[in-house]
Amino acid sequence: MRETFNIQPVEPMLGLAHNVVYTQKEYWGRCTAYPLSLSFLAGRDSAAPRPLIVFLCGGSFQRCDRNVWMGELAYYAKRGYAVASVEYSTLATTKWPEQIREVKQAIRFLRAHAKEFMIDPERIALMGESAGGYFAGLAALWGEDRTHDVGEHLEQSSAVKAAALIYPAVHITGNVPGIQVELTNFVDLCGEVRPNSPPFLLLHGTADRVVVPFHSENFYATLQKSGVESTICMVEGAGHADPHFVQPEIKERILAFLNSQLGS
């Protein structure tokens, strides 16, 4: 049997660089170091610089697998975005505030190598889920604050245009359910909101018992009170990290937000 196809390609071929080292992390009393890496996903044949999503996965502040969401993030790469999923240190190997310093350094690294990655350094947004949502939110709020800009590429900014947070942890104090170590000195996101903070999209399940909806609801109220452009989407019946958040309706809502802030 012979079959003939007459196809007009409408979706790009994607390329994945899964082990891009953005810094070496000092460890063991500065006697050694280990690499912190990111995975980079984008269309292979783009003729123009693409807007960039910097993604931070969750993991209860105790683990970080930067590749766990890459299959779902391909949705955005097929629609014209580049995606960098960034590894950050966890509580077994680091102390606050080193994690946020690492995230900011990853953003500066990507800006410094914008030409090689074919990304537009003026169109960068953060996205994160759960613990990654906390770090994404804080990195967005602290984008213009250089206090925690340390390490390489200090000539670059770590500011972003927008942030999309999925069931983010917002209030981090002491013992948190599901986390085996005590969280100390972590700042509360609500206390870091300023009138010039970038726009936020918040998504949270009404049945979340790990990071209860109050986190996003209170953060949204604080953003609104400060005059920051913000939207909250409550997903009825969804728990923490439920399949609801990878359904087409949610991805389309996030994409619409990103397009509105960065340009499609």
Side-chain angles (χ1 to χ4, degrees):
M1 180 174 64
R2 176 179 176 179
E3 297 182 0
T4 301
F5 292 88
N6 183 6
I7 297 174
Q8 296 297 320
V10 295
E11 289 196 351
M13 296 178 66
L14 300 184
L16 171 64
H18 68 90
N19 197 25
V20 180
V21 176
Y22 71 86
T23 191
Q24 294 285 342
K25 172 81 171 181
E26 290 183 346
Y27 188 54
W28 208 274
R30 295 188 173 181
C31 294
T32 186
Y34 62 87
L36 286 175
S37 302
L38 60 86
S39 295
F40 186 83
L41 182 66
R44 291 170 54 183
D45 301 318
S46 176
R50 298 156 289 211
L52 173 67
I53 300 168
V54 176
F55 183 83
L56 304 173
C57 75
S60 301
F61 300 93
Q62 300 169 103
R63 52 197 164 270
C64 178
D65 183 345
R66 68 180 184 278
N67 291 319
V68 72
W69 289 104
M70 292 303 281
E72 300 298 340
L73 294 170
Y75 171 89
Y76 304 98
K78 288 193 172 186
R79 286 156 181 82
Y81 284 82
V83 179
S85 186
V86 172
E87 175 186 19
Y88 55 87
S89 295
T90 52
L91 289 172
T93 58
T94 196
K95 295 180 180 179
W96 168 264
E98 293 175 33
Q99 304 96 328
I100 193 66
R101 292 173 177 173
E102 294 163 2
V103 172
K104 287 167 74 68
Q105 182 161 326
I107 296 170
R108 297 197 311 273
F109 170 87
L110 288 159
R111 273 205 168 94
H113 296 279
K115 185 176 181 180
E116 295 95 316
F117 287 116
M118 281 290 290
I119 58 176
D120 184 344
E122 300 302 318
R123 294 192 292 163
I124 300 178
L126 279 155
M127 185 189 304
E129 53 98 23
S130 196
Y134 172 82
F135 290 123
L138 189 57
L141 294 170
W142 282 1
E144 300 289 354
D145 186 341
R146 302 305 296 258
T147 304
H148 294 288
D149 281 81
V150 298
E152 300 171 294
H153 307 298
L154 293 175
E155 75 283 359
Q156 302 292 334
S157 169
S158 58
V160 300
K161 293 290 188 183
L165 311 185
I166 307 169
Y167 41 85
V170 171
H171 308 291
I172 310 298
T173 54
N175 296 315
V176 177
I179 299 178
Q180 303 305 313
V181 294
E182 185 173 351
L183 300 173
T184 56
N185 301 322
F186 281 65
V187 301
D188 189 306
L189 293 190
C190 289
E192 305 306 313
V193 174
R194 303 290 183 268
N196 64 343
S197 296
F200 279 84
L201 173 66
L202 310 175
L203 301 104
H204 218 115
T206 61
D208 196 328
R209 298 295 177 264
V210 178
V211 178
V212 296
F214 173 77
H215 283 255
S216 284
E217 291 170 341
N218 197 37
F219 188 45
Y220 172 69
T222 303
L223 291 166
Q224 288 284 294
K225 185 177 180 180
S226 297
V228 177
E229 182 181 345
S230 51
T231 301
I232 188 169
C233 300
M234 301 303 298
V235 183
E236 290 293 333
H240 198 72
D242 274 4
H244 298 67
F245 294 98
V246 298
Q247 300 310 306
E249 298 91 335
I250 296 298
K251 290 179 178 177
E252 289 167 5
R253 183 64 189 88
I254 295 173
L255 182 66
F257 170 73
L258 294 173
N259 287 344
S260 70
Q261 301 301 328
L262 304 184
S264 58

